[in-house]
């Protein structure tokens, strides 16, 4: 639900920080709410926008040689590394004039180990070229060229363990790698933790339609794509167009009170979330709309503007959630008026290091539906536990 205009935007990444702070007639919108994280959000928008451009360029000409398998078999692309290098480089660069310079810490998904091997050297070359092309095309950073070592160093700045104290940037350079490789949805997700709490978050969603992807969205004639969501504690959530061409708007979660009308979203990949369990939760709630299945934290962005009313995520046994998969997305939801919690109804705890420590599953919805959704989740989990192995609880 888009309900309030905030500021003008045209070229988010290209403007110097001083202009980003202004609310005057410059190219870039002020986040403009008097938030104490205004500067952090402005820098994060700049970093995420630049990284998203690199990802867009790679996705356009995705070549099979640009993917390689990680030890855990998930696909990793040149863009994953390039995105992390760029975000890290922008944050570090801005932090040099920032009071937090000495405490710079980033918890990020990738590390450079594979790139430091002989096999990784061609890929490192390509990443360095892409990073430099992206910086040059932006034009606002002056004549700067990163060496391969600079790129490796920037990537490895993401190795912080995080934890309960101090400030930590939390980055997923490409969330939804599978969607990215498939040519579908993905997000560049950057959050900021302060003493274990998420205080700011920016989600770049280059392929997300500006129009709703909810049950009624198909009627829109607006087929343009590319959204960026920005949130900080106490300041709400705004949606910007990725190219900055339209006015940034404040967004709010849906205020649907009857779960019968509440569309829900979930992972596209069945391997990431138990779709028989979520189907049963939907059945208990009386939801009739089919699930909206998309990759990445784009789900959080879409929900923050009301496309879906519920987000359900129930990984298969043994999976441990990482903080970068939810930090930015969770504040985008909570600042848009929603709630994010686990199957016990507890808020997510980002203070435990690189992993989330939670009671099975992640759920988001509005405050009207929290109790009903939580009750349905707990019922469905109990039913699932009573079902003999091999049978689906949704058939009960
Ligand atoms: N077996 C599994 N169960 C749950 N989540 C998984 C998973 N394997 C990978 N993931 C996580 O799911 C994320 C994508 O979320 P979604 O399913 O919402 O698109 C992945 O992010 P990356 O693509 O950044 O690795 C990864 O962290
Ligand atoms: Mg991820």
């Amino acid at each position: 639900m888009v309900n309030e205009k905030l500021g003008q935007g045209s070229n988010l990444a290209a403007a110097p920080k001083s202009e980003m702070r202004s609310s005057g007639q410059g190219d870039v919108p002020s986040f403009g709410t008097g938030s104490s994280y205004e500067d952090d959000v402005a820098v994060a928008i700049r970093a995420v926008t630049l990284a998203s451009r690199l990802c867009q360029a790679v996705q356009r000409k995705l070549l099979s040689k640009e993917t390689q398998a990680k030890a855990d078999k998930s696909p990793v692309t040149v863009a994953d590394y390039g995105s992390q290098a760029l975000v890290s480089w922008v944050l570090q660069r801005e932090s040099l004039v920032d009071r937090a310079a000495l405490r710079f810490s980033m918890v990020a998904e990738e590390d450079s180990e594979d790139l430091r091997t002989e096999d990784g050297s061609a890929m490192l070359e390509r990443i360095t070229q892409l990073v430099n092309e992206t910086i040059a095309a932006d034009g606002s950073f002056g004549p700067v060229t990163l060496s391969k070592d600079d790129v490796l160093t920037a990537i490895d700045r993401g190795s912080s363990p995080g934890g309960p104290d101090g400030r930590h940037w939390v980055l997923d350079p490409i969330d939804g790698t599978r969607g990215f490789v498939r040519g579908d949805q993905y997000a560049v997700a950057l959050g900021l933790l302060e003493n274990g709490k998420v205080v700011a978050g920016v989600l770049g969603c280059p392929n997300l339609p500006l129009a709703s992807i909810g049950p009624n969205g198909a009627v829109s004639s607006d087929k343009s794509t590319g959204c960026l969501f920005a949130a900080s504690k106490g300041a709400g959530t705004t949606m910007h167009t990725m190219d900055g061409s339209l006015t940034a708007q404040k967004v709010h979660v849906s205020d649907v009170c009857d779960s019968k009308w509440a569309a829900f979203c979930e992972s596209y990949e069945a391997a990431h979330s138990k779709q028989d369990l979520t189907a049963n939760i939907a059945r208990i709630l009386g939801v009739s709309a089919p699930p909206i299945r998309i990759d990445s934290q784009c789900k959080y962005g879409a929900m923050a503007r009301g496309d879906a009313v519920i987000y359900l995520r129930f990984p298969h046994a043994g999976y441990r959630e990482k903080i970068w998969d939810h930090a930015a997305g969770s504040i985008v939801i909570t600042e848009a008026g929603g709630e994010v919690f686990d199957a016990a109804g507890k808020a997510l705890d980002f203070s435990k290091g690189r992993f989330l420590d939670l009671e099975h599953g992640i759920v988001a919805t509005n405050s009207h539906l929290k109790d009903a959704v939580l009750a349905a989740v707990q019922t469905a989990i109990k039913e699932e536990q009573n079902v003999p192995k091999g049978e689906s609880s949704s058939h009960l």
Side-chain angles (χ1 to χ4, degrees):
M1 188 181 301
V2 173
N3 59 11
E4 189 184 323
K5 296 186 173 179
L6 279 187
Q8 289 294 324
S10 63
N11 189 358
L12 297 176
K17 192 176 174 188
S18 56
E19 281 181 35
M20 298 178 91
R21 288 180 182 145
S22 85
S23 54
Q25 302 189 336
D27 285 334
V28 169
S30 158
F31 191 59
T33 54
S35 150
S36 49
Y37 301 101
E38 194 171 339
D39 288 352
D40 296 308
V41 172
V43 174
I45 289 176
R46 195 174 196 205
V48 167
T49 303
L50 204 65
S52 297
R53 286 190 194 145
L54 180 147
C55 296
Q56 285 175 295
V58 176
Q59 198 186 42
R60 270 196 293 270
K61 48 181 180 178
L62 191 63
L63 303 171
S64 59
K65 72 178 179 199
E66 286 184 325
T67 65
Q68 67 176 33
K70 254 198 304 199
D72 66 2
K73 303 269 191 277
S74 66
V76 168
T77 65
V78 167
D80 260 313
Y81 292 117
S83 172
Q84 181 158 323
L86 269 182
V87 170
S88 168
W89 180 75
V90 173
L91 292 180
Q92 175 72 12
R93 191 177 188 272
E94 299 292 323
S95 294
L96 291 176
V97 290
D98 195 281
R99 62 194 176 283
L102 295 176
R103 302 192 302 271
F104 183 84
S105 164
M106 188 168 76
V107 182
E109 182 167 18
E110 306 300 339
D111 66 60
S112 74
E113 196 182 333
D114 291 352
L115 298 176
R116 291 178 188 271
T117 64
E118 216 176 303
D119 285 352
S121 73
M123 186 177 269
L124 176 60
E125 186 87 45
R126 176 82 183 111
I127 294 161
T128 307
Q129 187 189 344
L130 265 170
V131 164
N132 284 320
E133 282 170 8
T134 310
I135 293 170
D138 179 83
S140 71
F141 293 97
V144 54
T145 305
L146 273 67
S147 68
K148 286 189 271 190
D149 269 350
D150 293 334
V151 167
L152 292 170
T153 303
I155 291 170
D156 284 337
R157 259 186 235 116
S159 64
S160 168
D165 303 315
R167 282 164 55 100
H168 307 279
W169 290 100
V170 180
L171 172 68
D172 195 337
I174 296 184
D175 182 42
T177 317
R178 286 177 188 276
F180 179 80
V181 170
R182 225 189 293 114
D184 287 342
Q185 297 298 331
Y186 66 96
V188 178
L190 180 61
L192 178 63
L193 294 188
E194 209 170 67
N195 299 328
K197 305 268 186 228
V198 187
V199 293
V202 172
L203 283 180
C205 307
N207 290 341
L208 188 66
L210 298 186
S212 170
I213 58 165
N216 303 321
V219 295
S220 171
S221 58
D222 184 358
K223 301 297 175 210
S224 42
T225 57
C227 307
L228 182 144
F229 297 89
S232 71
K233 202 170 162 224
T237 298
T238 49
M239 185 176 86
H240 308 244
T241 52
M242 199 84 227
D243 62 3
S245 58
L246 291 178
T247 305
Q249 295 172 313
K250 203 155 194 180
V251 294
H252 202 273
V253 295
S254 162
D255 57 7
V256 162
C257 299
D258 184 341
S259 59
K260 206 167 49 189
W261 307 113
F264 80 98
C265 59
E266 65 180 349
S267 290
Y268 180 94
E269 297 283 341
H272 293 181
S273 184
K274 293 189 262 187
Q275 295 180 350
D276 52 350
L277 178 63
T278 58
N280 202 29
I281 295 166
R283 182 192 62 76
I284 293 166
L285 288 166
V287 171
S288 54
I292 301 163
R293 289 184 178 146
I294 60 166
D295 302 282
S296 83
Q297 287 171 71
C298 285
K299 288 186 276 301
Y300 285 117
M303 221 199 101
R305 66 182 188 192
D307 297 7
V309 190
I310 304 168
Y311 171 25
L312 299 171
R313 182 185 189 84
F314 291 91
H316 298 270
Y319 184 76
R320 286 180 81 193
E321 296 280 8
K322 288 97 170 184
I323 61 171
W324 52 77
D325 279 322
H326 303 285
S330 66
I331 192 164
V332 161
I333 291 286
T334 54
E335 283 299 321
E339 302 204 29
V340 186
F341 46 95
D342 68 9
K346 281 197 324 208
L348 307 190
D349 182 354
F350 289 90
S351 73
K352 297 280 165 69
R354 291 170 76 87
F355 291 93
L356 282 172
D357 187 13
L358 47 75
E359 175 93 13
H360 190 51
I362 293 179
V363 180
T365 189
N366 65 25
S367 50
H368 309 300
L369 289 177
K370 180 177 178 184
D371 290 347
V373 172
L374 189 55
V377 163
Q378 291 174 349
T379 303
I381 289 174
K382 270 194 204 115
E383 288 182 3
E384 184 191 47
Q385 285 161 353
N386 292 332
V387 173
K389 267 198 176 137
E391 287 182 31
S392 163
S393 60
S394 57
H395 297 145
L396 283 175

